[in-house]
């Protein structure tokens, strides 16, 4: 299982140019996240319980020693003709007893084997639960990471807008000092400049919030330096129905519930085995100083014990009914989970395609906005355009850049969501 777990962790890591940085965050989350640590502990518990069930195949050996003191013991009295009555004690008042006994189950009606199968399924369910947790934590780290990159890119947009506003203000101020433009143009440029400064301050705050959110998801006390940038990872997706079938095959959540259903069926067989007889082989050695006049007495015994439960107040019937209801519960949980997984895949697939289209539109908007700003600046310098045109062009470029940043973040987040919904390994070819 350890080899499979390592393969899963490697498959969760991104293949983009930010792989090294994002991989370190995911590895850090795997070692620091409390949810992951809990799932690992539950897997260890299940492994111990499985080993405990296997011990049912082995004999049970007991050693006992006791020291006994009696205030009175039975005596045997007899008399012979012509002689006074005489007698002797049957037991010593003080004696010890030592015993070693081994009991080997020969037939248990399937109690041991079904108990082992039950624990095996439960261990498998815990294992796949851990894989699901790792998959989910990896997605959350990616989502928070892309949100942080988005916030930082928005800060870059705000700073670029501030530089554009400063440049425009310098031009307007020069024209105003020469008496070429009216005071209105100067005031308009000043208002835009102050607005750009406020947006930078706000963007810096959002960066700090996004970084703190990322740190919380990772579960680390301190994050390493982050220098990644938003880029669209090129992928080629198979058809939606193929992704859904792939999710049905490899999603750890569904494997967990399938294992839980197997455990429930083993639980039913375990309940049936309680109606079966039990055959035990016992071997014992005993040594005692209980008998007077004899050296310590020892004996060896071999016994075959047959047990058959007749009546326990209906407990076994109730346990069997409960086990069968557990099978129905497990089956319904699996069916419900399949519906949820299908919905997750469809939603992530739709959001990814939508984000990809928005990304193409946003790229065109940025190019158009840049051209518009260049044209507006040239027109203003030639005194055939107005300051309002330049200010509007700066604002339009800011909106276009912000839309591009949002589209990039949505694209990467939707891809990460699709990988999580499909299962470890993602959905791209």
């Amino acid at each position: 299982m350890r080899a499979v777990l390592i393969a899963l962790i490697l498959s969760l890591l991104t293949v983009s140019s930010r792989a090294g940085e994002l991989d370190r965050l995911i590895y850090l989350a795997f070692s620091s996240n409390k949810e992951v640590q809990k799932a690992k502990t539950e897997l260890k518990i299940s492994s111990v319980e499985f080993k405990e069930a296997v011990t049912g195949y082995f004999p049970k050996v007991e050693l006992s020693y006791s020291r006994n003191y009696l205030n009175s013991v039975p005596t045997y009295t007899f008399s012979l003709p012509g002689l006074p009555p005489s007698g002797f004690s049957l037991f010593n008042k003080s004696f010890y007893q030592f015993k070693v006994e081994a009991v080997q189950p020969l037939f248990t009606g399937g109690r041991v084997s079904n108990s082992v199968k039950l624990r095996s399924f439960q261990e498998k369910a815990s294992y796949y639960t851990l894989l699901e947790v790792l998959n989910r934590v990896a997605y959350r780290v990616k989502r928070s990471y892309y949100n942080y990159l988005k916030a930082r890119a928005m800060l870059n947009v705000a700073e670029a807008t501030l530089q554009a506003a400063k440049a425009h203000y310098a031009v307007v101020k020069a024209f105003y000092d020469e008496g070429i433009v009216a005071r209105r143009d100067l005031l308009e440029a000043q208002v835009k400049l102050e607005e750009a400064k406020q947006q930078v301050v706000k963007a810096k705050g959002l960066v700090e919030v996004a970084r703190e959110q990322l740190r919380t998801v990772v579960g680390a006390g301190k994050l390493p330096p982050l220098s990644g940038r938003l880029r669209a990872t090129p992928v080629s997706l198979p058809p939606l129905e193929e992704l859904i079938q792939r999710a049905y095959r490899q999603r750890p959540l569904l494997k967990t519930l399938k294992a839980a259903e197997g455990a429930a069926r083993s639980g039913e067989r375990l309940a049936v085995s309680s109606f079966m007889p039990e055959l035990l082989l016992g071997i014992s050695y005993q040594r005692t100083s209980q008998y007077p006049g004899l050296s310590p007495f020892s004996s060896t015994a071999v016994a075959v014990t047959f047990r058959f439960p007749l009546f326990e107040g209906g407990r076994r019937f109730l346990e069997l009914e409960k086990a069968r209801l557990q099978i129905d519960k497990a089956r319904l949980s699996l069916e419900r989970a399949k519906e949820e997984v299908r919905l997750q895949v469809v939603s992530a697939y739709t959001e990814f395609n939508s984000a990809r289209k928005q990304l193409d539109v946003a790229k065109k908007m940025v190019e158009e906005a840049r051209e518009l700003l260049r044209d507006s600046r040239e027109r203003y310098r030639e005194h055939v355009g107005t300051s309002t045109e330049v200010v509007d062009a700066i604002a339009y470029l800011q909106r276009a850049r912000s839309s591009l940043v949002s589209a990039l973040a949505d694209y990467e987040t939707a891809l990460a969501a699709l990988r999580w919904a499909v299962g470890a390994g993602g959905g791209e070819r």
Side-chain angles (χ1 to χ4, degrees):
M1 284 189 176
R2 181 174 297 178
V4 179
L5 182 59
I6 294 174
L8 168 81
I9 293 175
L10 293 176
S11 69
L12 291 173
L13 305 179
T14 179
V15 295
S16 68
S17 58
R18 303 170 303 276
E21 184 170 274
L22 184 53
D23 289 355
R24 287 194 296 272
L25 291 175
I26 294 175
Y27 272 123
L28 186 59
F30 286 171
S31 60
S32 305
N33 187 276
K34 298 299 185 294
E35 190 176 1
V36 174
Q37 293 176 1
K38 177 184 175 183
K40 289 180 179 179
T41 302
E42 290 176 349
L43 177 59
K44 292 179 181 179
I45 293 173
S46 297
S47 179
V48 171
E49 290 176 342
F50 170 75
K51 294 175 182 177
E52 180 185 8
V54 172
T55 61
Y57 287 111
F58 303 118
K60 294 179 175 59
V61 181
E62 292 184 358
L63 183 148
S64 63
Y65 175 86
S66 65
R67 189 75 190 185
N68 304 279
Y69 300 93
L70 305 178
N71 62 350
S72 63
V73 294
T75 59
Y76 178 74
T77 303
F78 63 93
S79 62
L80 297 175
L83 296 175
S86 62
F88 60 88
S89 299
L90 298 179
F91 304 110
N92 291 324
K93 285 189 175 182
S94 175
F95 62 92
Y96 72 86
Q97 287 183 321
F98 172 80
K99 184 178 182 180
V100 178
E101 183 180 23
V103 178
Q104 173 66 51
L106 300 179
F107 177 76
T108 61
R111 290 183 184 89
V112 177
S113 60
N114 287 314
S115 178
V116 170
K117 290 178 181 178
L118 172 64
R119 295 304 185 184
S120 176
F121 277 116
Q122 289 177 341
E123 182 183 19
K124 187 180 295 184
S126 297
Y127 170 70
Y128 286 124
T129 297
L130 173 59
L131 299 193
E132 177 67 18
V133 170
L134 291 174
N135 203 14
R136 183 167 61 248
V137 168
Y139 163 65
R140 290 176 179 173
V141 171
K142 290 178 182 180
R143 182 179 61 185
S144 298
Y145 176 72
Y146 295 138
N147 185 57
Y148 169 74
L149 295 186
K150 174 183 176 181
R152 203 169 61 188
M154 287 295 190
L155 174 59
N156 294 335
V157 171
E159 291 175 343
T161 302
L162 177 59
Q163 295 302 319
K166 286 181 178 179
H168 178 60
Y169 176 78
V171 173
V172 175
K173 183 69 167 56
F175 285 171
Y176 176 76
D177 291 341
E178 295 178 5
I180 299 176
V181 298
R183 180 174 174 76
R184 180 188 178 284
D185 286 6
L186 181 63
L187 293 176
E188 186 178 41
Q190 286 177 336
V191 169
K192 183 60 182 178
L193 180 59
E194 294 303 320
E195 179 184 349
K197 291 179 180 179
Q198 291 178 359
Q199 290 174 347
V200 170
V201 173
K202 182 179 179 181
K204 288 181 178 179
L206 293 177
V207 169
E208 292 302 318
V209 172
R211 185 178 179 86
E212 182 61 23
Q213 289 176 342
L214 177 59
R215 188 196 67 79
T216 302
V217 171
V218 172
K222 185 178 180 181
L223 291 177
L226 302 176
S227 58
R229 296 179 60 185
L230 282 173
R231 296 186 182 90
T233 304
V235 294
S236 176
L237 295 180
L240 175 59
E241 191 59 34
E242 181 179 336
L243 287 175
I244 293 173
Q245 295 303 318
R246 188 180 300 182
Y248 287 165
R249 293 192 305 270
Q250 66 184 31
R251 181 72 180 267
L253 173 63
L254 299 182
K255 293 182 179 181
T256 298
L257 295 176
K258 288 177 182 177
E261 184 178 7
R265 296 190 183 279
S266 295
E268 180 192 24
R269 290 190 290 270
L270 180 61
V272 171
S273 66
S274 65
F275 292 90
M276 303 298 290
E278 186 176 32
L279 186 64
L280 305 174
L281 173 65
I283 302 176
S284 64
Y285 169 80
Q286 183 172 315
R287 185 181 180 90
T288 181
S289 62
Q290 184 177 6
Y291 307 109
L294 299 175
S295 59
F297 177 78
S298 62
S299 64
T300 302
V302 177
V304 177
T305 304
F306 178 80
R307 297 175 183 172
F308 188 81
L310 295 178
F311 179 72
E312 296 183 11
R315 179 184 61 84
R316 290 172 295 162
F317 292 95
L318 294 175
E319 288 181 348
L320 179 58
E321 181 180 0
K322 177 182 176 181
R324 287 171 176 169
L325 291 174
Q326 290 289 353
I327 294 177
D328 293 337
K329 177 183 176 181
R331 176 179 53 81
L332 293 173
S333 297
L334 179 59
E335 292 177 356
R336 175 58 181 165
K338 277 189 172 183
E339 294 175 354
E340 293 179 354
V341 167
R342 180 184 179 87
L343 177 60
Q344 290 172 357
V345 173
V346 172
S347 298
Y349 186 84
T350 303
E351 290 174 2
F352 176 78
N353 285 328
S354 176
R356 182 156 53 183
K357 293 178 182 178
Q358 292 175 3
L359 183 59
D360 294 336
V361 173
K363 290 179 180 178
K364 294 180 181 179
M365 287 178 58
V366 170
E367 293 300 322
E368 293 172 354
R370 286 173 177 168
E371 182 64 27
L372 177 61
L373 181 58
R374 285 194 296 267
D375 183 69
S376 298
R377 283 173 172 171
E378 290 297 326
R379 285 170 52 81
Y380 187 71
R381 290 191 181 95
E382 297 297 329
H383 308 298
V384 293
T386 64
S387 174
T388 302
E389 291 179 358
V390 178
V391 170
D392 290 344
I394 292 174
Y396 182 72
L397 178 58
Q398 181 183 15
R399 290 194 299 271
R401 285 173 171 170
S402 298
S403 296
L404 179 58
V405 169
S406 296
L408 284 170
D410 292 345
Y411 177 94
E412 289 294 337
T413 302
L415 180 59
L418 185 59
R419 292 172 61 88
W420 168 62
V422 172
E428 65 268 38
R429 284 176 174 158

